[in-house]
Every structure is written in C-alpha cells, then in structure tokens.
Amino acid sequence: MSSGPSDRLGEVADAAARAFRLLPALPEDAPPPPAPGTPPRPARRVHADPDTVERDLVRLVLTLVELLRQLMERQALRRVDAGDLTEDEEERLGATLMILHDRMTGLCAQYGLTMRDLNLDLGPLGTLLPPDAEE
C-alpha cells in the first residue's frame, strides 16, 4: 500500500507544525528595539557578483545548515531534559553536534566567513539566528 503525494505532503506539514510547536520563540530571542532617533541599520544582503558567486552560495548553504544545526541542538536539549534519551544516546548526540559545529567552523574558515556572516538580517523581523550564534 503506497501513499499518494497529497498524503506525503500532509505528513510533512504535520511534522513542520510539530517542530514549530517544539521551538517556540521566546521574548529574549527578539532583538531589542532601536533607541529613539537611531537610524535603521542597513540590511546585509547576499550580492550576486560574478566574482563572489561561489562564496555567496556557500554562505547561503552554510546559513541553512547552521539554522538546522541549532534547531537539532535545541531539540536534543529538550529530549535530554525530558529524560527521553539513554546515557549512550546523549553521548553520541553530543559528540555528533560538536563534530558538526567544528566542521561548520572549518568550512567558514575555508571560505573566509565567520559565524556572524551567516546570520542573515531579515529586516523588521531581526536576524535569522539568535545573537549568541554569532560567537
């Protein structure tokens, strides 16, 4: 018995809804409002310059990977706090996340990027990644 594309799409939508419920936005995640009279900060954007297109593409891909890494890390911490993992699973998960972070740092260095470069400015929504991710 195979499920059709619409069934699969519904499963993906349900999984996404569950993921967003697990990762609610917290008030401390929101950037502070600018001081009165402060000019707005210019948005940092990816520029499609033919000379830097490879670096810009790598930057975009690494940004997405970093976002997913942080989501996985938060989910792992929630599972550890809830006691859903065995001690061996906790060790493997922690080691895997550390390796992924190290590889992200290495790839950033290889392309002359910093973690701060991966934090895209979403305009009035603030930045894509939490401020502590830039360090």
Side-chain angles (χ1 to χ4, degrees):
M1 177 175 154
S2 66
S3 61
S6 63
D7 293 338
R8 185 68 182 135
L9 186 59
E11 290 175 24
V12 171
D14 289 343
R18 284 193 307 273
F20 282 113
R21 280 194 303 273
L22 290 172
L23 301 169
L26 301 173
E28 58 268 15
D29 290 338
T38 304
R41 202 175 65 201
R44 294 184 300 168
R45 303 184 189 276
V46 175
H47 300 285
D49 182 338
D51 297 332
T52 63
V53 71
E54 179 182 5
R55 182 176 182 269
D56 292 340
L57 181 59
V58 168
R59 178 181 172 208
L60 181 60
V61 170
L62 289 179
T63 297
L64 294 173
V65 172
E66 178 61 15
L67 177 64
L68 292 173
R69 186 195 70 77
Q70 287 186 24
L71 292 173
M72 288 177 2
E73 191 174 86
R74 287 182 185 180
Q75 179 62 21
L77 290 174
R78 283 188 174 82
R79 290 189 67 194
V80 167
D81 289 344
D84 291 346
L85 302 173
T86 66
E87 191 172 311
D88 185 48
E89 289 171 327
E90 286 180 27
E91 289 292 323
R92 282 186 305 173
L93 189 56
T96 301
L97 290 171
M98 285 174 42
I99 290 168
L100 182 55
H101 184 269
D102 290 344
R103 289 198 178 145
M104 284 292 299
T105 304
L107 285 168
C108 282
Q110 181 179 341
Y111 285 93
L113 299 167
T114 65
M115 295 304 276
R116 175 168 277 148
D117 294 329
L118 303 183
N119 201 356
L120 300 179
D121 187 347
L122 302 176
L125 298 175
T127 56
L128 178 65
L129 304 172
D132 62 340
E134 296 180 7
E135 294 155 5

